[in-house]
């Protein structure tokens, strides 16, 4: 495949992650980078305040940043826009015929917009046809969930496909990069933890139910699993850690749960999608793992690490994932690969 792509919000933290991950992609070629009016007209290397611990990819340094409006040379657009901007901009691109793989939250819960983790609910991309028809768009918007939602839902999906789940409770310890480079002041987070992230708990609870739901009569019938979240910000840079409690319908030995998690594989692995990790879930038997600094880059940041699996009727475990790779840019790229493989582009 040889597909031209563009990135909206290319100078922000998630936008930079898109640029980094796409720079050597075997299918996708970065042809267009867009950002604010302040950045438009400048070469990317001059417009961006690069904050990743890698160099700006040489192939994009000289690309001129364009205004965030239709007219970009691209077959698919990756959106790293803030939600308040994406709300009005993304429909303009979809109406103009672009397919958008969006990391923004603006349209995730719309009934005709696919909210997708390719391992969990690849069939939900069927909503694209309904979306295009109902909105009279030539293009479409496909979204990925919130970062903390992705890190939770993948191991939950592995378990619920084998065993019946009554209720899930989660308490997150989320890295500061989830709020953007300037999102949390250093004086607020150093030597501290903040037991509140605006809108995060609602996103986790609502998005997970949509992801685990089934399409019936052209709409997603959400999962009836009870769900409760408590979200906290801690002073790690990358990597969201989550403490999870799962109430099962019947007693299941934790050894069987670990086996189900280790064996988990799905459509992206079957299709050989380039960004898909060969092992979506890594299970640790060490009592003090996973840890953000040690495990967030597993599977080039796309693998979810799980540890401390214990219990029978109530299973307790810890999950960890890279929030700006698997939880953001990498998730959108994987969605776009699924669209390409299924012939939507």
């Amino acid at each position: 495949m040889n597909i031209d792509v563009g990135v909206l919000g290319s100078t922000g933290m998630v936008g930079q992650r898109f640029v980094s991950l796409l720079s050597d992609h075997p299918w996708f070629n970065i042809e267009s980078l867009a950002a604010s009016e302040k950045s438009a007209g400048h070469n990317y290397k001059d417009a961006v305040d690069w904050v990743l611990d890698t160099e700006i990819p040489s192939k994009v340094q000289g690309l001129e940043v364009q205004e965030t409006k239709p007219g970009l040379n691209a077959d698919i657009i990756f959106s790293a826009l803030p939600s308040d901007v994406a709300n009005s901009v993304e429909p303009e691109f979809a109406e103009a015929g672009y397919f958008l793989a969006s990391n923004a939250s603006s349209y995730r819960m719309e009934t005709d917009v696919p909210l997708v983790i390719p391992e969990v609910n690849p069939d939900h991309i069927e909503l694209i046809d309904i979306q295009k028809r109902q909105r009279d768009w030539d293009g479409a918007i496909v979204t990925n969930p919130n970062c903390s939602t992705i890190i939770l839902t993948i191991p939950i999906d592995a378990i619920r496909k084998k065993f019946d789940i009554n209720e899930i409770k989660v308490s997150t310890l989320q890295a500061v990069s989830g709020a953007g480079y300037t999102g949390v002041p250093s004086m607020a987070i150093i030597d501290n933890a903040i037991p509140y992230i605006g809108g995060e708990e609602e996103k986790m609870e609502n998005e997970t139910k949509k992801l685990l739901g089934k399409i019936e009569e052209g709409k997603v019938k959400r999962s009836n699993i009870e769900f409760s979240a408590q979200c906290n910000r801690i002073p790690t840079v990358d990597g969201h850690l989550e403490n999870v409690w799962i109430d099962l319908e019947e007693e299941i030995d934790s050894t069987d749960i670990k086996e189900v998690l280790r064996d988990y594989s799905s459509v992206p692995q079957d299709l050989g999608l380039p960004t898909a990790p060969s092992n979506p879930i890594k299970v640790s038997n060490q009592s003090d793992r996973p840890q953000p600094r040690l495990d967030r880059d597993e599977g080039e940041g796309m693998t979810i690490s799980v540890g401390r699996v214990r219990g029978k009727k109530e299973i307790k475990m810890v999950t960890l994932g890279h929030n700006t790779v698997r939880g953001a840019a990498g998730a959108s790229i994987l969605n776009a690969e699924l669209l390409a493989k299924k012939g939507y582009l």
Side-chain angles (χ1 to χ4, degrees):
M1 294 188 189
N2 189 19
I3 300 171
D4 293 336
V5 305
V7 180
L8 308 183
S10 62
T11 58
M13 175 169 277
V14 174
Q16 292 177 34
R17 188 66 74 177
F18 271 121
V19 170
S20 176
L21 294 174
L22 290 166
S23 62
D24 293 316
H25 196 280
W27 296 358
F28 300 147
N29 310 308
I30 301 176
E31 288 292 327
S32 302
L33 298 175
S36 66
E37 292 182 4
K38 179 182 177 181
S39 299
H42 298 280
N43 289 339
Y44 186 69
K45 66 180 178 62
D46 298 322
V48 67
D49 180 14
W50 192 260
V51 298
L52 302 186
D53 57 3
T54 58
E55 296 293 324
I56 303 174
S58 58
K59 64 176 65 176
V60 302
Q61 290 185 17
L63 277 183
E64 182 178 318
V65 177
Q66 300 179 55
E67 293 184 32
T68 306
K69 60 184 182 181
L72 303 182
N73 179 24
D75 300 309
I76 188 166
I77 298 289
F78 295 98
S79 174
L81 295 172
S83 295
D84 57 340
V85 178
N87 192 56
S88 59
V89 170
E90 290 184 355
E92 292 178 359
F93 277 85
E95 188 175 8
Y98 294 90
F99 275 76
L100 289 96
S102 175
N103 184 64
S105 63
S106 304
Y107 292 93
R108 289 174 186 162
M109 300 309 295
E110 294 288 319
T111 57
D112 60 350
V113 175
L115 177 68
V116 176
I117 302 173
E119 284 90 349
V120 175
N121 61 333
D123 58 309
H124 285 202
I125 63 171
E126 297 170 12
L127 292 174
I128 287 174
D129 298 324
I130 296 170
Q131 179 189 144
K132 293 176 71 175
R133 184 171 64 251
Q134 289 185 163
R135 298 178 185 252
D136 195 25
W137 287 349
D138 292 327
I141 299 172
V142 176
T143 64
N144 57 265
N146 183 43
C147 47
S148 53
T149 302
I150 294 175
I151 293 162
L152 172 71
T153 306
I154 289 174
I156 290 297
D157 184 55
I159 295 171
R160 65 113 184 198
K161 284 178 175 174
K162 298 291 184 179
F163 310 111
D164 292 329
I165 298 175
N166 292 324
E167 184 179 15
I168 300 164
K169 295 179 180 178
V170 60
S171 179
T172 71
L173 304 171
Q174 297 183 216
V176 293
S177 60
Y181 190 72
T182 59
V184 182
S186 59
M187 288 293 287
I189 196 65
I190 293 174
D191 189 33
N192 200 18
I194 302 172
Y196 174 73
I197 303 173
E200 196 82 358
E201 291 151 7
E202 293 82 3
K203 289 176 184 176
M204 290 195 75
E205 292 169 1
N206 292 324
E207 291 174 8
T208 304
K209 287 193 171 188
K210 184 176 180 180
L211 288 160
L212 299 180
K214 297 180 179 179
I215 294 181
E216 294 184 0
E217 298 180 352
K219 294 182 179 180
V220 177
K221 181 180 180 182
R222 300 184 191 183
S223 169
N224 59 5
I225 297 173
E226 294 296 322
F227 192 90
S228 180
Q230 170 69 48
C231 297
N232 307 273
R233 187 77 70 192
I234 62 169
T236 49
V237 176
D238 291 312
H240 288 356
L241 190 76
E242 302 178 353
N243 298 305
V244 185
W245 294 261
I246 305 168
D247 180 50
L248 299 174
E249 185 72 28
E250 57 184 345
E251 287 192 359
I252 304 293
D253 193 277
S254 61
T255 302
D256 295 330
I257 299 294
K258 290 180 183 179
E259 183 178 352
V260 164
L261 292 167
R262 285 195 183 99
D263 292 345
Y264 182 69
S265 184
S266 191
V267 169
Q269 289 71 38
D270 295 341
L271 294 177
L273 301 183
T275 301
S278 56
N279 296 307
I281 301 172
K282 179 184 177 182
V283 180
S284 175
N285 288 320
Q286 295 176 249
S287 60
D288 61 350
R289 300 284 284 276
Q291 297 179 24
R293 191 170 63 189
L294 301 179
D295 299 297
R296 61 194 172 206
D297 293 321
E298 190 70 37
E300 298 185 346
M302 291 295 288
T303 291
I304 305 300
S305 296
V306 178
R308 303 205 65 209
V309 181
R310 58 211 191 277
K312 289 185 180 292
K313 178 72 165 57
E314 181 185 65
I315 299 296
K316 293 177 279 189
M317 65 184 188
V318 177
T319 67
L320 171 80
H322 198 302
N323 52 294
T324 65
V325 181
R326 182 58 168 191
S332 292
I333 293 170
L334 193 60
N335 279 352
E337 291 170 357
L338 179 64
L339 293 180
K341 197 72 172 179
K342 292 293 186 179
Y344 280 92
L345 303 184

